[in-house]
């Protein structure tokens, strides 16, 4: 065969191999939002280990992480140096927006597939962070170390406390994913979730002698409903209360107090559901974000729930950055209408599926 032709064919094969290699790498790339949705064996792959390295770089010396960071994104040498230098800067470590829970779960999966001690030790440091962050009375703040202001409130908002309890419950129950935690941590985790349950039961809002649901954040000392941001006033939450009830429903052999808490909350959710309306996105190029959110009548609409209900009246409330209570979504500023969730199908699955299943299994 002609040597030139052989060389040409080799070059073609080499180029094709590069193309296929790049394509394979692109297919393997996983966005941060999907890192807990992969097959078990994937967590031993090169891509999984690359992300695990990123997670370790972002982990602070106290075992926690900052929030709202894409830890699947490539890290430059300059960023790497900065992250290493900032390891001791822990004031921003938080339970908010899922920070920590995804990372711990991810590292545990990587350890399960690889047996690498680095991943195990980092996951254990994250678990220890959650244990250290808990108040003596059993609640969890939004940030730890504590930050002045609403950040120190016991926080159900965005399921911060419930996410901590779910993860520690898996540790306490010796879930196979956390079998490496050891007996000492399992015992601590069990004590932590027991104390957390006491806080949940003690903070359920009672109106005219009847238990309802929970506020999104509560005072860290007396467990009373508390304000967070300017538009998050003391109220009964139609959103965060769902996660609390789901947590209670997964408890084995629930006592009378837990059963009463569940039944009372479910009754409240049924009482306050909003019917014959739906939330609609209306395009409007003249508005800053190009659209608005409006409530429109619809006799065929599925029930909705308000994010906040007024304590004592069960009226849905809508609060903007001026902290003024209003009773219609249209009455608050556009920026908040489209930038925050005030209405949603929060309790639909809870009432339609979760509660009937729990009731049938008792």
């Amino acid at each position: 065969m002609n040597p030139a032709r052989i060389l040409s064919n080799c070059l073609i094969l080499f180029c094709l191999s590069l193309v296929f290699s790049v394509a394979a790498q692109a297919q393997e790339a996983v966005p941060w939002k999907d890192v807990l949705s992969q097959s078990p064996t994937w967590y031993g792959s090169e891509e999984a280990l690359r992300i695990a390295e990123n997670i370790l770089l972002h982990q602070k010396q106290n075992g926690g992480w900052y929030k709202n960071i894409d830890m699947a994104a490539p890290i430059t040498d300059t960023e790497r140096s900065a992250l290493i230098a900032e390891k001791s800067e822990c004031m921003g470590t938080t339970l908010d927006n899922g920070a920590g829970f995804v990372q711990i779960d991810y590292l545990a999966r990587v350890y399960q597939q690889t047996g690498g001690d680095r991943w195990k030790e980092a996951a254990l440091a994250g678990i220890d962070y959650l244990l250290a962050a808990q108040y003596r009375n059993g609640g969890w703040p939004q940030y730890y170390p504590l930050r002045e202001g609403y950040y120190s409130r016991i926080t159900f908002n965005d399921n911060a406390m419930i996410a901590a309890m779910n993860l520690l419950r898996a540790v306490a129950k010796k879930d196979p994913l956390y079998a490496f935690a050891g007996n000492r941590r399992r015992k601590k985790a069990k004590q932590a979730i027991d104390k957390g349950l006491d806080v949940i039961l003690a903070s359920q809002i009672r109106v005219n002698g009847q238990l309802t649901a929970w506020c999104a954040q509560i005072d860290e000392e007396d467990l009373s409903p508390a304000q967070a941001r300017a538009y998050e006033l003391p109220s009964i939450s139609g959103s965060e209360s769902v996660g609390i009830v789901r947590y209670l429903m997964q408890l084995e052999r629930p006592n009378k107090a837990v059963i009463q808490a569940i039944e009372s909350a479910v009754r409240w959710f049924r009482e306050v559901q909003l019917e014959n309306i739906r939330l609609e996105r209306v395009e409007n190029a003249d508005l800053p974000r190009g659209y608005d959110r409006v409530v429109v009548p619809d006799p065929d609409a599925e029930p909705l729930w308000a994010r906040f209900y007024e304590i004592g009246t069960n009226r849905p409330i809508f609060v903007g950055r001026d902290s003024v209570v209003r009773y219609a979504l249209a009455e608050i500023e556009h920026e908040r209408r489209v930038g925050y969730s005030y209405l949603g199908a929060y309790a639909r699955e809870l009432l339609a599926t979760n509660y009937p299943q729990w009731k049938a299994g008792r």
Side-chain angles (χ1 to χ4, degrees):
M1 184 179 287
N2 188 318
R5 186 175 182 83
I6 293 174
L7 178 61
S8 176
N9 288 339
C10 288
L11 287 172
I12 291 172
L13 289 172
F14 176 71
C15 291
L16 285 173
S17 69
L18 286 178
V19 170
F20 288 133
S21 175
V22 170
Q25 290 177 5
Q27 290 174 356
E28 290 176 1
V30 172
W32 181 245
K33 66 181 179 63
D34 295 331
V35 294
L36 296 183
S37 303
Q38 307 305 307
S39 66
T41 56
W42 179 86
Y43 294 95
S45 69
E46 289 186 13
E47 173 68 0
L49 295 179
R50 182 190 69 81
I51 295 173
E53 291 285 0
N54 288 357
I55 290 174
L56 263 61
L57 279 170
H58 282 283
Q59 189 175 28
K60 302 303 181 181
Q61 286 180 355
N62 66 352
W65 286 268
Y66 289 175
K67 67 177 180 177
N68 301 337
I69 297 175
D70 179 1
M71 297 187 190
I75 295 176
T76 66
D77 290 341
T78 300
E79 291 169 337
R80 184 184 308 273
S81 298
L83 286 168
I84 293 172
E86 295 166 358
K87 282 281 186 181
S88 61
E89 297 179 11
C90 300
M91 282 304 296
T93 50
T94 180
L95 285 70
D96 194 28
N97 289 3
F101 311 112
V102 174
Q103 289 86 344
I104 296 169
D105 195 313
Y106 185 91
L107 291 170
R109 297 182 191 205
V110 172
Y111 173 69
Q112 192 176 59
Q113 289 298 312
T114 66
D117 284 342
R118 295 173 66 236
W119 321 123
K120 178 181 76 172
E121 295 304 319
L124 290 174
I127 292 170
D128 289 344
Y129 171 81
L130 295 180
L131 292 169
Q134 187 180 30
Y135 282 121
R136 287 187 178 183
N137 66 5
W140 272 270
Q142 187 179 134
Y143 280 78
Y144 183 79
L146 296 176
R147 294 175 60 177
E148 186 176 353
Y150 73 85
Y151 308 103
S152 295
R153 302 293 190 208
I154 292 174
T155 305
F156 294 124
N157 195 22
D158 292 333
N159 290 319
M161 176 166 159
I162 295 303
M165 293 183 67
N166 275 321
L167 193 147
L168 292 176
R169 184 171 181 270
V171 173
K173 289 177 60 63
K174 204 175 181 179
D175 185 291
L177 187 61
Y178 295 103
F180 61 84
N183 290 330
R184 181 178 64 84
R185 282 189 180 84
R186 277 194 286 276
K187 182 178 179 181
K188 286 187 174 182
K190 177 63 166 59
Q191 294 170 341
I193 60 175
D194 286 348
K195 290 167 65 177
L197 178 59
D198 290 341
V199 167
I200 289 174
L201 296 177
S203 61
Q204 190 170 11
I205 298 170
R206 192 180 292 271
V207 176
N208 298 326
Q210 296 294 316
L211 288 172
T212 60
W214 291 264
C215 185
Q217 54 282 316
I218 56 177
D219 187 271
E220 59 272 29
E221 295 181 0
D222 65 15
L223 309 184
S224 62
Q227 179 173 343
R229 288 171 288 191
Y231 46 90
E232 296 168 331
L233 303 184
S235 57
I236 309 177
S237 170
S239 173
E240 279 72 17
S241 295
V242 172
I244 298 173
V245 175
R246 283 185 174 141
Y247 179 85
L248 296 177
M249 285 179 174
Q250 68 182 335
L251 300 180
E252 298 90 354
R253 298 182 297 278
N255 59 30
K256 289 182 179 180
V258 170
I259 294 171
Q260 183 185 31
I262 294 170
E263 296 285 9
S264 298
V266 166
R267 181 174 59 249
W268 178 83
F269 275 118
R270 286 172 172 162
E271 289 174 355
V272 302
Q273 67 183 25
L274 306 173
E275 300 176 328
N276 303 320
I277 62 168
R278 60 182 167 84
L279 190 61
E280 185 174 291
R281 173 174 169 143
V282 177
E283 303 298 325
N284 186 337
D286 294 330
L287 294 173
R289 295 196 186 183
Y291 71 96
D292 202 354
R293 282 181 180 159
V294 299
V295 176
V296 298
D298 184 350
D300 299 320
E302 295 286 339
L304 294 176
W305 284 264
R307 183 73 173 264
F308 307 117
Y309 288 87
E310 191 172 56
I311 298 174
T313 70
N314 280 340
R315 293 181 68 183
I317 60 174
F318 304 89
V319 184
R321 293 189 183 276
D322 58 5
S323 292
V324 175
V325 173
R326 296 179 173 88
Y327 298 100
L329 182 64
E331 294 177 356
I332 63 172
E333 66 269 26
H334 170 263
E335 182 271 334
R336 285 292 79 196
R337 286 201 304 274
V338 300
Y340 194 77
S341 176
Y342 288 93
L343 291 166
Y346 307 129
R348 191 177 298 168
E349 186 178 0
L350 177 74
L351 298 187
T353 304
N354 304 145
Y355 176 70
Q357 288 176 346
W358 173 79
K359 194 78 170 176
R362 282 187 52 210

